[in-house]
Amino acid sequence: MTIKKRYYSIFLAGLMLTLSGCGSSRYFMLAEPSTTIAKVYSHKLPVVGVEKISLPEYMKQGKVAKQISSTQIEYLDNDNWLEDMEQSLTKQLIVTIQKSFNTPKVYAYPWGLSKQASLKVQVRINKFIAQGAYVYLDANYEITHMDSGRKYSKLFSTKVETKEDTKSIVSSMNIAFSKLSKNIMGGLSRF
């Protein structure tokens, strides 16, 4: 066997191993807000700025996690998040606000001086994970009127039934996040 053929054989063997390993990972994302979100609120919102949603560390690792006891979390084998979850959830909340209030004036915050927010939304998710037969979502959010300083703060908690498989867990997470988004819409409607 010539040196050229040997290198070619080694290259092909390495490529086959790489490709066979790639097929074992699965990637998940929370569903984009539905294009059929109905306009829910009739009053006009001023310019809204949504800060990047704050998440627990286990959601920033790029892997789907499951809580197996009060002190232990495990990452599900080969099940990964397709996107950075902080950015993904922030983007989803922005789109949901835009569609619910029928306004394009909702942006990621902070930004340059060309757009000033009248309302700022901060969301901190403290728990967002499957444990047993449920997905739990615990969060708090604050809406601030930037000119008057008036604030609306709320704690939020929900649990949604799930099965053990990752597809079911992600589906239940979608439902839980949708409930949080609707709750935030209610807070925005107060301004």
Side-chain angles (χ1 to χ4, degrees):
M1 182 180 269
T2 66
I3 294 176
K4 196 176 206 177
K5 285 184 181 179
R6 179 180 288 162
Y7 284 127
Y8 183 71
S9 297
I10 292 171
F11 171 76
L12 282 178
L15 181 62
M16 296 295 278
L17 284 173
T18 302
L19 291 177
S20 67
C22 291
S24 61
S25 292
R26 299 184 310 171
Y27 294 90
F28 292 86
M29 60 186 234
L30 293 181
E32 292 291 324
S34 171
T35 55
T36 59
I37 292 175
K39 179 182 166 189
V40 178
Y41 301 99
S42 59
H43 77 280
K44 293 281 187 193
L45 276 183
V47 176
V48 177
V50 178
E51 285 192 355
K52 186 189 287 188
I53 293 176
S54 174
L55 295 175
E57 278 303 313
Y58 57 82
M59 288 200 70
K60 298 178 188 178
Q61 303 306 311
K63 295 189 171 287
V64 180
K66 184 176 180 181
Q67 190 162 355
I68 56 176
S69 75
S70 61
T71 59
Q72 189 176 6
I73 290 173
E74 72 176 2
Y75 293 102
L76 302 178
D77 291 337
N78 302 315
D79 291 343
N80 304 293
W81 291 115
L82 183 61
E83 302 175 293
D84 173 90
M85 292 306 290
E86 287 179 326
Q87 291 177 354
S88 177
L89 292 174
T90 303
K91 179 177 69 173
Q92 285 189 39
L93 181 58
I94 289 170
V95 170
T96 301
I97 294 169
Q98 288 173 331
K99 290 183 177 184
S100 295
F101 285 93
N102 195 28
T103 181
K105 298 184 295 183
V106 184
Y107 306 97
Y109 183 91
W111 53 73
L113 296 175
S114 63
K115 302 174 210 137
Q116 291 298 319
S118 294
L119 297 175
K120 181 174 72 168
V121 179
Q122 296 172 290
V123 181
R124 178 176 193 80
I125 294 178
N126 302 307
K127 181 176 185 174
F128 197 12
I129 195 163
Q131 182 177 8
Y134 295 96
V135 164
Y136 294 89
L137 173 55
D138 295 330
N140 58 288
Y141 65 88
E142 182 173 271
I143 302 168
T144 305
H145 192 282
M146 300 300 280
D147 294 330
S148 69
R150 182 175 152 225
K151 295 183 182 210
Y152 176 76
S153 300
K154 186 154 185 198
L155 293 174
F156 175 85
S157 186
T158 191
K159 68 180 184 178
V160 177
E161 284 189 61
T162 191
K163 295 178 184 167
E164 294 287 319
D165 63 290
T166 306
K167 186 176 178 181
S168 295
I169 290 170
V170 171
S171 177
S172 295
M173 290 177 87
N174 275 317
I175 294 167
F177 189 74
S178 177
K179 289 181 178 185
L180 172 60
S181 297
K182 287 178 184 174
N183 200 279
I184 293 169
M185 298 312 115
L188 283 167
S189 69
R190 295 172 166 266
F191 288 88

